[in-house]
Amino acid sequence: FLNLANYIDEIIILKSSKKKIQKDFLDTINIISKTTFIPIVAGGCIRSIKDADNLINSGADKIIINKLFNENPKICKQISKRYGKQFIVGSIDFLIKSNKFMIYDSYTKKYYFKKINKLVDDLSKNGAGEILLQSVDKDGTGFGLEKKIMKEIKKKDFPIILMGGVGNYEHIIDGYNINNCEAISTANLFNFIGKEFINVRKKLERKFNLPKKGNQDIKKLKNYFL
């Protein structure tokens, strides 16, 4: 993570099991938070305010919530009230069935129809300060983002993040050019393609004339990376 600190803005750490948040996961967050300056977004099976408390006390800067927005949005509102909307990233898993965007429940392995724009607004009303849209179809493929999903969403005053399908730097550039898309999230480049994160950052710096992280002092960057 220290090697990546100059090339990414946040790192998302998700617990993949369905078990409640336990000490080993909190210890992992704590270790990572002490070895990098990268802001940490942590989540997976958040069910209570106590879970949120434990994550932030372990070093998380934000939490990511998915299922709890359906099960108990009241708790999401309470967490937001305690820590602020900027603390919660609302996550939506989606896929395409019969040419329609469907919401996917990773716990039940079922999917259902709900208008994406309305769901995004519902998550915002219940405490989410950002929305992460993850394509189940594209996840892990490296074939590119599901850009059409953004046509379903009207202009928002909060960030929308796209995830699923990034395989090279051109896919990130594609995301950069999508209306309403504020950021791109990828695990593929980090896990399978060696130093591609660093290569992506350098290529984006050249293409969009971005400040060169690591080569300029913090004062020159502070107004750009907020």
Side-chain angles (χ1 to χ4, degrees):
F1 292 122
L2 288 172
N3 292 332
L4 293 174
N6 286 326
Y7 302 99
I8 62 177
D9 295 314
E10 293 181 338
I11 183 165
I12 297 175
I13 304 172
L14 293 175
K15 186 176 66 63
S16 59
S17 74
K18 297 179 182 179
K19 296 180 180 179
K20 66 180 181 179
I21 293 174
Q22 297 177 328
K23 185 176 182 299
D24 58 346
F25 183 67
L26 297 174
D27 287 344
T28 299
I29 299 299
N30 186 254
I31 291 169
I32 294 172
S33 71
K34 289 180 177 179
T35 56
T36 180
F37 291 109
I38 306 171
I40 294 171
V41 186
C45 287
I46 294 174
R47 293 288 179 267
S48 65
I49 296 177
K50 184 178 179 181
D51 286 339
D53 292 342
N54 287 338
L55 285 169
I56 197 169
N57 289 335
S58 297
D61 298 278
K62 300 178 184 177
I63 61 171
I64 188 164
I65 295 176
N66 186 312
K67 194 171 179 63
L68 189 61
F69 275 107
N70 289 326
E71 292 182 339
N72 199 331
K74 183 178 179 180
I75 292 179
C76 299
K77 280 186 176 181
Q78 291 172 345
I79 296 172
S80 179
K81 185 176 181 180
R82 177 175 294 194
Y83 291 110
K85 291 190 73 170
Q86 80 287 343
F87 180 64
I88 300 179
V89 179
S91 175
I92 299 172
D93 296 330
F94 70 91
L95 47 74
I96 298 176
K97 290 288 183 184
S98 301
N99 294 318
K100 288 185 178 181
F101 286 107
M102 310 290 284
I103 309 304
Y104 180 71
D105 187 329
S106 61
Y107 289 84
T108 64
K109 307 297 183 184
K110 296 180 179 179
Y111 51 88
Y112 60 94
F113 176 75
K114 188 169 186 177
K115 289 186 177 180
I116 296 291
N117 189 69
K118 184 179 187 310
L119 183 57
V120 166
D121 286 340
D122 288 345
L123 266 58
S124 176
K125 290 175 184 176
N126 287 313
E130 300 177 28
I131 303 296
L132 174 66
L133 297 174
Q134 178 170 353
S135 169
V136 175
D137 297 320
K138 296 275 191 173
D139 186 35
T141 65
F143 293 158
L145 296 160
E146 183 52 77
K147 296 182 288 184
K148 291 183 291 186
I149 188 71
M150 296 307 298
K151 294 180 180 178
E152 304 290 315
I153 300 173
K154 297 178 182 178
K155 180 66 177 176
K156 308 298 180 186
D157 58 359
F158 47 84
I160 304 289
I161 306 164
L162 271 184
M163 182 176 182
V166 172
N168 57 56
Y169 86 98
E170 291 192 357
H171 295 152
I172 293 181
I173 291 175
D174 284 344
Y176 184 92
N177 291 320
I178 300 173
N179 289 337
N180 297 342
C181 180
E182 299 291 333
I184 306 298
S185 179
T186 174
N188 197 39
L189 295 185
F190 178 71
N191 290 325
F192 305 116
I193 315 184
K195 295 182 178 180
E196 188 64 10
F197 254 136
I198 297 173
N199 295 333
V200 164
R201 176 71 205 186
K202 289 179 177 178
K203 289 172 182 175
L204 292 176
E205 285 171 356
R206 291 194 294 269
K207 185 172 182 64
F208 297 110
N209 196 30
L210 298 178
K212 294 182 179 181
K213 280 194 168 186
N215 297 331
Q216 296 187 18
D217 61 40
I218 297 300
K219 289 182 180 179
K220 292 180 181 178
L221 292 174
K222 69 177 183 178
N223 292 325
Y224 194 93
F225 294 97
L226 292 178

